[in-house]
Amino acid sequence: MSEARIRPRQVLVLIIVFLIVLKLVHHNGKHTCQGPEYLQAMYAQQEAGTLPHIYAITPTYARPAQKAELTRLSHLFMLLPNLHWIIVEDSNSTTPLVRSLLQRAGLEKRSTQLNIKTPPEFKLQGKDPNWIKPRGVEQRNMALAWLRTHVDVDRHAIVFFMDDDNSYSTELFAEMTKIKPGHVGVWPVGLVGGLMVERPILNEDKTQVVGFNAAWQPKRPFPIDMAAFAISMDLFIKNPQAVFSYEVQRGYQESEILRHLTTRQQLQPLANSCRDVLVWHTRTEKTKLTSEDALQRQGKRSDSGMEV
């Protein structure tokens, strides 16, 4: 019987193939990104341990479109490695719907599920327009209380108030990572306040906010939308009095929180010197369920045994 001989050249080829496979496995085992440059840079920072955490606070409440809205937002968290999602439900307890959504998105370790009920006198009733009463006050304040007792005060982090019905570019969160300790970052918001875009107005060298182009209530101390800014966490630690309040005029929630933390002159302009729109104040149309209502009057449901 003849013996099979392995030639040195074959051994060399096998070693090269093995090394290539080993490199591919090692490469794929890391949190890498093949997306745009800003996203690749975020992943590189994450690997180096220099990417600041962003705590995104989302008040939410039970309604037909709730799961759809939160599912859409969850895709951002799947893409961005440094986001921690604080969902605060307007309910007497946390719900299986939100818990299941976080599990299915693989976000259990990068999320916090809280709950607190809005007092009855501040709840919208029936056909009330959504602007008639302040919304999310209890929920945002609970999230801030959680942050003040749970974050590592020695690590730079960012806080962002992330409503569940807006539309966000992933690039917005790359911009947030540029916020310096002790600062509030600001940027334009599209489709808000009766304008195509609300934006800060900067000085000639584009380094300082000198005004805003807001058309609605322009005399507010900070005439901007909740989606127009994010805040360095250390400011909340240094200013425990910074909370949201029911005792403010309509449209003044943003000014109420920011007045404790910064001045106009101290705001940090981002998003290409406030020229890029990376977030839009969209709103989901109220779900029309007339046929579903008719079914329920017959004791039936189209979603019987399902979660929609």
Side-chain angles (χ1 to χ4, degrees), residues 189-253:
V189 177
L191 311 178
V192 68
L195 298 173
M196 281 298 293
V197 61
E198 275 188 353
R199 57 184 175 83
I201 298 169
L202 308 187
N203 60 0
E204 285 189 12
D205 60 5
K206 308 299 181 186
T207 58
Q208 191 175 72
V209 175
V210 296
F212 300 89
N213 77 328
W216 187 80
Q217 294 270 33
K219 293 185 178 179
R220 287 173 289 162
F222 296 90
I224 55 178
D225 186 71
M226 197 72 72
F229 60 91
I231 300 164
S232 177
M233 182 64 216
D234 65 310
L235 288 174
F236 283 115
I237 300 299
K238 294 172 184 174
N239 298 280
Q241 77 281 10
V243 294
F244 292 93
S245 172
Y246 289 110
E247 307 301 322
V248 296
Q249 299 178 53
R250 174 190 165 201
Y252 275 69
Q253 288 296 332

Side-chain angles (χ1 to χ4, degrees), residues 90-197:
D90 188 348
S91 60
N92 290 319
S93 61
T94 58
T95 63
L97 183 148
V98 173
R99 194 174 307 116
S100 173
L101 184 144
L102 292 171
Q103 290 171 350
R104 294 183 71 160
L107 297 173
E108 304 103 305
K109 294 182 180 179
R110 289 201 291 127
S111 63
T112 300
Q113 188 181 2
L114 304 172
N115 67 281
I116 187 169
K117 192 80 172 170
T118 298
E121 63 270 27
F122 293 109
K123 289 282 285 185
L124 292 174
Q125 303 296 326
K127 295 184 179 180
D128 284 349
N130 59 17
W131 47 261
I132 201 168
K133 294 176 182 176
R135 296 185 299 161
V137 172
E138 298 286 344
Q139 291 73 34
R140 293 187 184 106
N141 284 344
M142 169 160 272
L144 290 176
W146 183 90
L147 283 168
R148 285 180 170 120
T149 56
H150 286 82
V151 299
D152 181 352
V153 295
D154 295 323
R155 289 195 64 182
H156 179 44
I158 310 298
V159 179
F160 179 52
F161 299 105
M162 187 181 195
D163 288 351
D164 62 6
D165 56 354
N166 288 343
S167 299
Y168 306 90
S169 165
T170 52
E171 191 174 357
L172 176 67
F173 300 91
E175 289 297 303
M176 285 183 206
T177 65
K178 301 174 184 176
I179 294 174
K180 302 170 186 174
H183 284 73
V184 175
V186 291
W187 46 78
V189 177
L191 311 178
V192 68
L195 298 173
M196 281 298 293
V197 61

